[in-house]
Amino acid sequence: MSLMSDIEILEAIKKGELRIEPFDRANLGPDSVDIRLGKEMLLAKNVGKTLDPLKRNEANYFEKVSLKEGEPFMLGHHQFVLANTMESIGLDSSIAAQIEGRSSIGRFGIVVHMTAGIIHAGFGSKAPSTLTLEVYSVNPNPVLLHPGMKIAQLSFFRLGTKAQEGYDSKKGSKYVGQQMPEPPKAYLD
């Protein structure tokens, strides 16, 4: 498995092995693609009780927030949101991706993924899907998040052999076809 260069990323897009919709070549780096913040968020609320990942939490512990063009979201200190990306991604079962925050955003104390950094081979293969970012602020000051701003980057890896079963085809995959951020589904494990 090796990190794909800009040339390999463009070849994979041309062959249909990698789909990024919409794709803006200006977002292509030497070995990654910048992705932008979408307009849909789920804001974690303090519901005053302990949440159990192994149980379906019926309590509404997220508040849906839809951003409008030109209207940023103010992320406060120690605030957590799930946010979608503007781009939808589709990976062939021979390509996986890694999401990382951009240095320019990290320098504001913004974390864009808490733990879920791998996008599995075959994700979005049935239909390109948005990614869900796990955004958290450690900055002691509020930070404005603007829809459409470059917030993260994707690096792509070509697997040594194609996966036998890609993410979208694998039974039990919980986030197939997502277009909005979805709350956790660990209770389905």
Side-chain angles (χ1 to χ4, degrees):
M1 183 166 76
S2 64
L3 182 65
M4 293 171 65
S5 71
D6 52 356
I7 294 168
E8 292 170 303
I9 292 168
L10 290 171
E11 286 174 359
I13 290 171
K14 186 175 181 180
K15 290 180 183 176
E17 298 170 321
L18 169 59
R19 293 168 64 188
I20 303 171
E21 300 172 359
F23 177 68
D24 183 346
R25 190 171 172 142
N27 292 338
L28 179 65
D31 53 14
S32 66
V33 174
D34 289 336
I35 54 175
R36 299 167 293 173
L37 182 66
K39 295 180 179 179
E40 303 300 326
M41 294 184 174
L42 293 176
L43 172 62
K45 298 188 308 187
N46 184 344
V47 293
K49 69 177 195 173
T50 301
L51 303 176
D52 184 347
L54 299 183
K55 294 184 180 171
R56 184 178 188 141
N57 289 290
E58 296 298 333
N60 186 9
Y61 56 95
F62 283 104
E63 176 184 338
K64 185 177 179 183
V65 176
S66 293
L67 303 177
K68 295 182 178 137
E69 200 64 44
E71 291 184 19
F73 175 79
M74 186 170 55
L75 185 67
H77 178 61
H78 291 303
Q79 196 168 31
F80 176 68
V81 296
L82 297 175
N84 71 335
T85 57
M86 183 178 282
E87 289 80 7
S88 294
I89 308 299
L91 303 174
D92 180 87
S93 60
S94 65
I95 297 175
Q98 176 78 33
I99 188 167
E100 289 293 340
R102 295 181 67 239
S103 175
S104 296
I105 301 303
R107 292 171 195 223
F108 280 101
I110 304 299
V111 179
V112 298
H113 78 84
M114 300 299 288
T115 61
I118 294 177
I119 298 108
H120 296 290
F123 176 86
S125 62
K126 291 186 178 179
S129 301
T130 61
L131 301 174
T132 296
L133 305 172
E134 303 151 340
V135 184
Y136 183 75
S137 177
V138 296
N139 193 311
N141 305 293
V143 177
L144 295 176
L145 300 178
H146 298 266
M149 71 185 284
K150 293 179 184 181
I151 193 164
Q153 57 191 346
L154 294 176
S155 298
F156 301 94
F157 301 87
R158 188 168 295 281
L159 304 181
T161 59
K162 241 182 180 177
Q164 183 175 350
E165 192 173 27
Y167 181 84
D168 281 12
S169 301
K170 187 169 178 61
K171 185 178 168 107
S173 294
K174 299 182 284 288
Y175 305 105
V176 175
Q178 68 183 7
Q179 296 303 311
M180 309 278 255
E182 295 185 22
K185 297 180 181 178
Y187 63 90
L188 295 174
D189 290 343

